[in-house]
Amino acid sequence: MIEDMVGAVVPVDRLRGWLAPVRQRVEALLAGRLARRDTQAPSRLCDAMHYAVFSGGKRMRPALVAAAAQAASRQEHVPDLPAVWHAAAAIELIHCFSLVHDDLPAMDDDDVRRGRPTLHRAFDEWTAILVGDALSVLAFEVLVDSDIPCHVGMRLARQLAADIGWGGVVAGQYRDIQAQGQKVTTELVYAIHSAKTAALLRCACSCGAIAVDAADDTVRVFARLGEELGLAFQAVDDVLDEVGAVEQVGKRVGKDRLAGKATLPAVVGVDATVRIAREHVRVALGLLDGYGDCADPLRHLASCILTRSA
Ligand code: GRG
């Protein structure tokens, strides 16, 4: 057991036991999709897509989809529905695509990701751009799979499009790059974090609820929860960039400050950023009051955001 920064105890073994089959299901689905090569697809493109998706990611977002589905359906196990696994896989594809594009020279210009060369370094820049394009399209293909009831697939696709599009992740990334080197305010940092990072965690929690066909007001609670977790996640990410070690974080650290990035530590300092992250997780945990034991995986994942070192 480890004690997290909100004082909650995370039963690591229990969480690992819950996570292992979730990860296995999602990775099997991802591997199956990537193996089902379009006959027209060049093998180097397929290899690069595989490199982007299977490179040691934590699979936090698919875990959130599964945990939210379990909590929203008030079941003791993750509901074994195609909509749950497909939503989890689709969001991970989008996440992997966003990292590939984020690392490009025109964006964050990073050489190392997840402890190995970024995709444009291992392959080349134009391949990295096309890998992102292909993964984003594949994500929607996975969501509109015929195994998923049409109305659920439509709801999932609509949610994903809204959260990642020009009012979501794209907007956050745009603002982030635009703000580089500028004088920033806490409000601007929040606007960036909410769209750039929290939108995808919000999407993961919302889609978990949608996958079990939850009512709109339940989806809204899970969206709010995902937003809080996303804000905590990015706050911790900013702290890791300030105080983390390259070997642990798996990418260059100290880069945000050098690049004049709009981060929370830059405006309020590291200690206050930690307090802010803690507060977001506390609010998120409060939203799960009344959900009983079926929400335990979600509670533990929330607390893990504060203890993560990568
Ligand atoms: C339309 C989705 C989309 C993207 C286009 C490039 C871009 C616009 C957005 C970049 C968004 C981005 C990379 C935000 C940072 C989020 C973040 C803190 C990622 C790290 O997530 P982890 O730690 O990564 O879960 P792993 O490696 O564990 O999967």
Side-chain angles (χ1 to χ4, degrees), residues 48-196:
M49 288 167 73
H50 195 276
Y51 186 92
V53 176
F54 288 91
S55 50
K58 295 184 289 297
R59 310 298 194 205
M60 175 79 183
R61 291 149 193 84
L64 286 175
V65 173
Q70 179 172 330
S73 62
R74 297 180 184 270
Q75 292 187 30
E76 282 175 16
H77 301 284
V78 180
D80 192 7
L81 298 170
V84 172
W85 305 117
H86 283 241
I91 292 176
E92 185 65 9
L93 287 169
I94 293 293
H95 168 60
C96 293
F97 135 57
S98 76
L99 297 182
V100 169
H101 278 195
D102 190 47
D103 291 335
L104 285 169
M107 299 221 189
D108 265 7
D109 193 11
D110 271 309
D111 297 339
V112 180
R113 163 76 65 186
R114 295 168 170 165
R116 63 182 198 167
T118 46
L119 198 131
H120 66 274
R121 282 282 171 199
F123 291 80
D124 47 58
E125 203 176 331
W126 61 272
T127 301
I129 294 170
L130 290 172
V131 162
D133 296 342
L135 292 178
S136 65
V137 175
L138 183 59
F140 283 93
E141 195 183 309
V142 166
L143 273 191
V144 295
D145 193 274
S146 55
D147 287 347
I148 302 175
C150 271
H151 73 286
V152 175
M154 281 288 283
R155 269 178 101 192
L156 291 170
R158 212 180 290 132
Q159 186 72 50
L160 186 63
D163 283 331
I164 70 171
W166 60 335
V169 181
V170 173
Q173 181 76 348
Y174 198 92
R175 284 212 173 99
D176 190 31
I177 296 173
Q178 221 176 15
Q180 224 158 295
Q182 308 290 312
K183 190 168 164 26
V184 285
T185 59
T186 315
E187 289 69 34
L188 177 61
V189 174
Y190 258 93
I192 292 171
H193 285 193
S194 171
K196 183 183 82 164

